[in-house]
Amino acid sequence: MGQGDYRILHEAALRDYLAGLPELRALLGGEPAAWAITEVGDGNLNLVFIVKGTRGGIAVKQALPYVRLVGESWPLPLSRAHYEYLALSRQAQLAPGLVPALLHHNETLALTVMELLEPHIIMRKGLVAATPYPRFADDITTFMARTLFFTSDLALTAAEKKEAIAAFAGNHALCKITEDLIFTDPYRIAEQNRWTAPYLDALAAALRDDMELHVAISRLKLKFMASPEALIHGDLHTGSIMVTESQTRVIDPEFAFYGPMGFDVGAVLANLLMAYFASAGHERSPGERHAFEGWVLETVEQVWAGFAGKFLDLWRAGASGDAYPVSLFAGEKGAARLEAERQAYMQRLFTDTVGFAAAKTIRRIFGLAHNIDFELIEEPKKRAVSEARAVRLARGMMVEAVAFRTIADVTGAARKLRDWQPELSG
Amino acid sequence: MGQGDYRILHEAALRDYLAGLPELRALLGGEPAAWAITEVGDGNLNLVFIVKGTRGGIAVKQALPYVRLVGESWPLPLSRAHYEYLALSRQAQLAPGLVPALLHHNETLALTVMELLEPHIIMRKGLVAATPYPRFADDITTFMARTLFFTSDLALTAAEKKEAIAAFAGNHALCKITEDLIFTDPYRIAEQNRWTAPYLDALAAALRDDMELHVAISRLKLKFMASPEALIHGDLHTGSIMVTESQTRVIDPEFAFYGPMGFDVGAVLANLLMAYFASAGHERSPGERHAFEGWVLETVEQVWAGFAGKFLDLWRAGASGDAYPVSLFAGEKGAARLEAERQAYMQRLFTDTVGFAAAKTIRRIFGLAHNIDFELIEEPKKRAVSEARAVRLARGMMVEAVAFRTIADVTGAARKLRDWQPELSG
C-alpha cells in the first residue's frame, strides 16, 4: 500500500473502518451506528477521536499531512504516525502501565487506536486548576529512567544502538519543528513568534540581542541534533501527560527519536516550573495557591532526584550495554571508581537538563506554541509578570547551567523569583 | 543479486572478470593473458591485487567474509566494501585528488577497483626509513578539514545529517572491532593482547589496574559510539596513507561511519608521535635521525594548526548547516561572539583529539594490532624503551587531556620524553 491509499477518516468513514475490525468492534460493543464518535483533538498536529460503544471506548489518532494548527500550507509527513507507533510500542515494553495500551495501527492511514484514558485529564489542565498529583513524580521518573536507560549505550550493544538510531532517523521533519521553534526562532525575528505585548516587548528585544544566550541555545541545538543518547519522547510536556490522582500516562510520542536524555527530563521540569510561575497569575486572593505551589517545587525536586536515583539503580543492577564495560572496573577499587563515574555522568546529565529546561521555557513565552498555564491568565499584565519571572530563571539556567549544581539550586532560584517585580514595557 | 553470488576472485578468476569490463580492459591495455597480477594485501582484512597491462595499472580490493589476519574463525560482513565505497565516493567529492580515483565497484563481489598509486608507498614505511614528507601536513589537513566539516552539522541540514548517519549505521561490525581492540581489550586481560615481554609486563599490569585510565578510556569509548559528529575515516593511521614526496593519498576507509572528528585527527597525531618515539630505536648512531625527528614534531604541530585553521576558514566562509545559524549572530557583536565560540568549539575538539590520540597509541603497544614503527626495532629491549616513552605520554594525554591546552604542550611533552629511561621488567 502506498501513501496514495491514505485518506482522512472523518466520522462516518471512521465508523465504517472500525466496524470492519472485529476485535475493536467487540471491545466497543453494540451496533456501530450507535457508537458515539467525538473529535477531541486539541493538539497542534492531528485528528483525535473518542469512540464509545455500549461496552467500552477507544481513542483514535490520525495524522494529517499538514500541521493542523497552521493548515495545508505547512505540510508534515504522515510517517510520523509510524514513528509514534514504534516509540509507543517500545515505551510499552519498557514502562508498562505508563503509556496507553496499543489496540490497532494502520501505517497507510497513519492511524493508531489506543486504550481510552478515562477519567484521566491532560495534566496541564489540572495544574492550572491547582490540583496536586501525588503519584506523578514516582510515575514519570519510572517512565523516564526506564525508557532512557534501556535505550542507551549503557543497556544496548553498539550495534543495537546504531540500528535503533537508524530506525528513527526518518523522523527528521518532526525534529526540525523542534530545531526551529525551540532552538532558533524565539531568539530572532520570526513571523510566527508572539508574546504578551506590549509588556514583554523590551524583554523579547533583549533576548534577540543577548549573544551569550544565543551561544548557549546554539550549543543546546547542536546537542539536540547530534547526541543520540537514547530514545527520547521528544515532547514530554504536561500536555503530553494524562493523569488522575492515582495514575499517570504518557501520550503522543510522535517527536520520538534518538536524542539527548536531558531534553525529556528538562521538558518535565520546565513545565512544572512554568506551572509554578503561572500560579501567581491564577490566584484570586493572595496566597490562595500557596500549598499547590509548594507541591510543585517539591515535585520538581522529586522528579530529578527520583529520575537520577532510578537511572543509577538500573545501571548498578547490571549494564549489558557496550559503554563502561564492567570488565574494566573489577574489584573493590574498580567498583568504587565506577560509582564515582556514575555520579559524574549524572552531573553532566543534570547540566544538560537544566539547559534544556530553560530552552523549553523561553519558547513557550516568545515562540509559536504557548501553553495554557500562562495563556489562561486573563489579565495580560499579570500574565507578563509571571512570564517575565520564568524567563529570568530560564536565562540564568541556560547561560550558567553549570552554576546550578543541584536541583535545590533550581527550586531555590524559582522561590526567590516568586514575588519579584519585573520592569515591563508599555 | 544476493550475497550467495559472492565468490573470492583469485588470480585467474580476477583476470576473467576484468577482461569482461571494457573500460578497465582499455585502461590496462594489451591481452588479458599478458596482464601481470600480484596479490599485495598486507593489511589485516582484505585481498588486494595490483594488475598491470601494457598501458596502465589498477588496484583491486576485495573483502573477505572473515578477518584475514585471524582467519575464518572471525567472520566479518562483506557489507564493509559497500561502506568503503560510499565513503570513498564522498571523500573524492570533498577532497579531490587526496584519495585514489574510483574505477569500478561490484557490491555483490564486495570488490572495488581503484587507480594504481605509483610510485607511492605506505607512509609508515617511509617514516621507519626516516623520510620526511614535505607535502603531508598540508594535504592531510585539507583532507580532514574538508571531509569532516562538510559532513558535520555545520554544513548539513539536520535532515541530511540524520539520513547520512543512517546510511552508515550498518557498518557496526567494523565499529565493534575498534570498540573492542582500541577502547576495551588493552585495559583488561584479553587473549589477543600482546606486548614486548617481559620488558613491558609491569607496565601492562599497571594499565590494567589504573582506574583513572579506565574511566578515561570508557568516556572516549562512549564518545566514539554515540557522537556522530561527521563522516570519519575511522582508521586514519599512517598505514592508511600513501605518499610520495609530492603527493598524499588516503586509502582504506572501510571503518567509515559517523563518529567523533577527534578520532581521525587523533589517529594522525598518534601515529606521528609513535614514529617519533620509535625513531630512537631505529638509529644506528646517536643523533642520526635528529633532523627527521624534528620534522616529525614540527609536522605534529602543523597537522593540528593546519587542520584547525582550514576547518575554521570553511566555517567562516559560510556554514549552510543547521548548527549555529548565522541569523542568531547578526551584526558586529554577533560576529565577534560567534568567532569566540568557534575557538571554543575547536578547543573542545582539541581535547577530544588529545584523548583519542592517546587511545590509538596504547592499543598499538598492548593490543592485537601493532605497527612496524615499533615492530621493526629488532632489539626487544630497545623497542620496549621506545614503547614505554610513548605510553607515558599517552597516559597523561588520556587522563589529563584538558591539561594539554595547545599542540605545543603535546610536542613539548614528547620532546621531554625523548631520552627518558623507563624502568623495565624482566
Side-chain angles (χ1 to χ4, degrees):
Chain A
M1 290 188 287
Q3 191 172 307
D5 298 318
Y6 171 83
R7 62 192 199 285
I8 297 175
L9 296 187
H10 291 295
E11 190 189 317
L14 179 62
R15 191 183 303 273
D16 290 348
Y17 179 78
L18 295 172
L21 299 168
E23 283 188 22
L24 292 182
R25 191 170 172 155
L27 191 156
L28 287 164
E31 280 309 302
W35 295 343
I37 300 186
T38 326
E39 214 283 304
V40 298
D42 64 351
N44 300 331
L45 304 180
N46 309 291
L47 289 175
V48 182
F49 294 92
I50 287 177
V51 184
K52 289 188 177 177
T54 55
R55 184 173 303 126
I58 57 176
V60 181
K61 182 169 177 179
Q62 185 177 34
L64 295 169
Y66 49 81
V67 176
R68 184 178 184 173
L69 177 70
V70 176
E72 299 191 23
S73 64
W74 187 347
L76 198 64
L78 295 171
S79 62
R80 67 187 190 272
H82 162 75
Y83 297 109
E84 177 167 14
Y85 168 73
L86 263 191
L88 192 51
S89 309
R90 194 85 182 91
Q91 291 165 351
Q93 292 171 332
L94 296 174
L98 295 173
V99 293
L102 256 171
L103 303 175
H104 173 76
H105 178 66
N106 182 320
E107 183 147 355
T108 303
L109 292 176
L111 177 147
T112 302
V113 180
M114 286 162 286
E115 165 193 16
L116 179 61
L117 296 175
E118 220 175 24
H120 303 66
I121 66 164
I122 291 289
M123 184 178 179
R124 200 189 292 288
K125 293 181 184 171
L127 297 179
V128 170
T131 313
Y133 291 97
R135 289 289 318 147
F136 174 70
D138 191 31
D139 285 345
I140 200 71
T141 54
T142 297
F143 176 83
M144 293 193 296
R146 293 184 61 84
T147 57
L148 298 177
F149 179 83
F150 285 112
T151 59
S152 79
D153 294 279
L154 298 168
L156 300 180
T157 66
E160 290 167 340
K161 179 96 184 307
K162 284 193 177 64
E163 297 288 1
I165 291 170
F168 281 90
N171 205 21
H172 48 65
L174 280 278
C175 292
K176 177 139 177 73
I177 292 178
T178 301
E179 288 148 17
D180 289 346
L181 298 191
I182 296 183
F183 293 109
T184 315
D185 284 353
Y187 305 89
R188 64 181 176 189
I189 293 185
E191 211 185 316
Q192 295 170 319
N193 287 344
R194 62 187 181 85
W195 55 81
T196 303
Y199 304 110
L200 297 186
D201 286 357
L203 187 51
L207 296 194
R208 289 198 304 270
D209 195 45
D210 184 341
M211 291 302 147
E212 291 309 313
L213 194 64
H214 291 200
V215 164
I217 194 69
S218 296
R219 288 185 181 190
L220 289 167
K221 183 181 183 182
L222 181 56
K223 194 168 295 222
F224 180 80
M225 295 194 298
S227 292
E229 295 175 351
L231 177 59
I232 68 173
H233 178 284
D235 196 28
L236 195 51
H237 55 75
T238 45
S240 296
I241 300 168
M242 297 194 70
V243 285
T244 65
E245 284 242 331
S246 61
Q247 289 198 344
T248 311
R249 295 284 185 281
V250 174
I251 63 171
D252 288 352
E254 66 203 313
F255 283 82
F257 79 116
Y258 274 74
M261 303 185 194
F263 191 74
D264 272 4
V265 189
V268 172
L269 296 185
N271 281 275
L272 290 170
L273 289 166
M274 285 190 276
Y276 174 77
F277 286 114
S279 185
H282 293 298
E283 67 184 5
R284 287 155 306 178
S285 60
E288 179 199 28
R289 296 168 59 113
H290 184 73
F292 170 73
E293 290 165 23
W295 173 84
V296 173
L297 290 192
E298 207 172 281
T299 301
V300 166
E301 293 176 2
Q302 287 170 357
V303 165
W304 174 259
F307 165 72
K310 290 174 188 179
F311 190 96
L312 283 168
D313 280 346
L314 290 171
W315 190 349
R316 291 180 192 124
S320 55
D322 281 342
Y324 292 101
V326 288
S327 57
L328 293 193
F329 299 96
E332 214 170 292
K333 193 176 69 168
R337 190 62 191 83
L338 179 56
E339 179 57 25
E341 177 64 4
R342 288 192 190 106
Q343 301 292 338
Y345 181 101
M346 295 313 288
Q347 194 61 40
R348 288 194 300 276
L349 180 46
F350 182 68
T351 303
D352 285 2
T353 297
V354 168
F356 284 123
K360 298 281 277 185
T361 300
I362 290 175
R363 69 81 60 109
R364 292 287 186 186
I365 296 168
F366 297 102
L368 168 66
H370 288 233
N371 60 34
I372 58 167
D373 309 64
F374 293 127
E375 296 293 288
L376 290 182
I377 301 173
E378 274 171 42
E379 197 193 309
K381 199 165 182 174
K382 241 176 157 178
R383 187 192 320 140
V385 167
S386 281
E387 291 173 330
R389 289 171 184 157
V391 171
R392 189 176 172 92
L393 178 61
R395 200 263 172 199
M397 287 168 66
M398 200 187 294
V399 171
E400 299 179 282
V402 291
F404 293 82
R405 298 291 301 164
T406 69
I407 191 66
D409 291 341
V410 175
T411 51
R415 207 172 278 115
K416 275 189 200 154
L417 288 166
R418 168 62 173 77
D419 297 308
W420 174 67
Q421 290 304 323
E423 273 185 52
L424 301 179
S425 314
Chain B
M1 293 188 287
Q3 193 172 308
D5 297 318
Y6 172 83
R7 63 194 198 282
I8 297 175
L9 295 187
H10 291 295
E11 190 189 316
L14 179 62
R15 193 183 303 273
D16 290 348
Y17 179 78
L18 295 172
L21 299 168
E23 284 188 22
L24 292 182
R25 191 170 174 158
L27 189 155
L28 286 164
E31 280 309 303
W35 294 343
I37 300 187
T38 326
E39 213 283 303
V40 298
D42 64 351
N44 300 331
L45 303 180
N46 309 291
L47 290 175
V48 182
F49 294 91
I50 287 178
V51 184
K52 289 188 177 179
T54 54
R55 185 174 301 127
I58 57 176
V60 181
K61 181 169 178 178
Q62 184 177 35
L64 294 168
Y66 48 82
V67 176
R68 184 178 184 174
L69 176 70
V70 176
E72 299 193 22
S73 64
W74 186 347
L76 198 64
L78 295 170
S79 62
R80 66 186 189 273
H82 161 75
Y83 297 109
E84 178 166 14
Y85 168 73
L86 264 191
L88 192 52
S89 309
R90 193 86 182 90
Q91 291 164 352
Q93 291 171 333
L94 295 174
L98 295 172
V99 294
L102 257 170
L103 302 175
H104 173 75
H105 178 66
N106 182 319
E107 183 148 355
T108 303
L109 291 177
L111 177 147
T112 303
V113 180
M114 286 162 286
E115 165 191 17
L116 178 62
L117 296 175
E118 222 176 22
H120 304 67
I121 67 165
I122 292 289
M123 184 178 180
R124 199 189 292 289
K125 293 180 185 173
L127 296 180
V128 170
T131 314
Y133 291 98
R135 288 289 318 146
F136 174 70
D138 191 31
D139 285 346
I140 200 70
T141 54
T142 297
F143 175 83
M144 293 193 296
R146 293 184 60 86
T147 58
L148 298 178
F149 178 84
F150 286 113
T151 60
S152 78
D153 294 280
L154 298 168
L156 300 180
T157 66
E160 291 167 340
K161 178 95 184 308
K162 284 193 177 64
E163 298 287 1
I165 291 170
F168 281 90
N171 204 21
H172 49 66
L174 280 276
C175 292
K176 173 130 179 82
I177 293 178
T178 301
E179 288 147 17
D180 289 345
L181 298 190
I182 297 182
F183 294 108
T184 315
D185 285 352
Y187 306 88
R188 65 180 176 189
I189 293 187
E191 211 185 318
Q192 295 171 318
N193 287 345
R194 62 186 180 85
W195 56 82
T196 303
Y199 306 109
L200 297 186
D201 287 357
L203 187 52
L207 295 194
R208 289 198 303 270
D209 195 46
D210 183 342
M211 291 301 147
E212 291 309 312
L213 194 63
H214 292 201
V215 164
I217 194 68
S218 297
R219 287 184 181 190
L220 289 167
K221 183 181 184 182
L222 181 57
K223 194 169 295 221
F224 180 81
M225 295 194 299
S227 292
E229 294 175 351
L231 177 59
I232 68 173
H233 179 284
D235 196 28
L236 196 52
H237 53 77
T238 46
S240 296
I241 300 168
M242 298 194 70
V243 284
T244 65
E245 284 240 333
S246 61
Q247 289 199 344
T248 310
R249 295 283 186 280
V250 175
I251 64 171
D252 287 352
E254 67 204 312
F255 284 82
F257 79 115
Y258 274 74
M261 303 183 194
F263 190 74
D264 272 3
V265 188
V268 172
L269 297 185
N271 281 275
L272 289 170
L273 289 167
M274 285 189 277
Y276 174 76
F277 286 114
S279 185
H282 293 297
E283 67 183 4
R284 289 154 306 178
S285 59
E288 180 200 26
R289 296 166 59 111
H290 184 74
F292 169 74
E293 290 165 22
W295 173 83
V296 173
L297 290 191
E298 208 172 280
T299 302
V300 166
E301 292 176 3
Q302 287 171 357
V303 165
W304 174 258
F307 165 72
K310 289 174 187 179
F311 190 97
L312 283 168
D313 280 346
L314 291 171
W315 190 349
R316 291 177 191 125
S320 54
D322 280 342
Y324 292 101
V326 288
S327 57
L328 294 193
F329 299 97
E332 215 170 290
K333 192 176 69 167
R337 190 60 191 87
L338 179 57
E339 180 57 25
E341 176 64 3
R342 287 192 191 107
Q343 301 291 339
Y345 181 103
M346 294 315 286
Q347 194 62 40
R348 287 194 299 275
L349 179 47
F350 182 68
T351 302
D352 285 1
T353 297
V354 168
F356 284 122
K360 298 281 277 183
T361 300
I362 290 175
R363 69 81 58 109
R364 292 287 185 184
I365 296 168
F366 297 102
L368 169 65
H370 287 234
N371 60 34
I372 58 167
D373 310 63
F374 294 128
E375 296 294 288
L376 289 182
I377 301 173
E378 275 172 38
E379 199 194 308
K381 199 164 182 173
K382 241 176 155 176
R383 187 193 319 140
V385 167
S386 280
E387 290 173 331
R389 289 171 183 155
V391 171
R392 189 176 172 91
L393 177 61
R395 200 264 172 200
M397 286 168 66
M398 200 186 294
V399 171
E400 300 179 281
V402 291
F404 293 81
R405 296 291 300 165
T406 68
I407 191 65
D409 291 340
V410 175
T411 52
R415 207 172 279 115
K416 276 190 199 154
L417 288 166
R418 167 63 173 76
D419 297 309
W420 174 67
Q421 290 305 322
E423 274 185 52
L424 299 178
S425 314

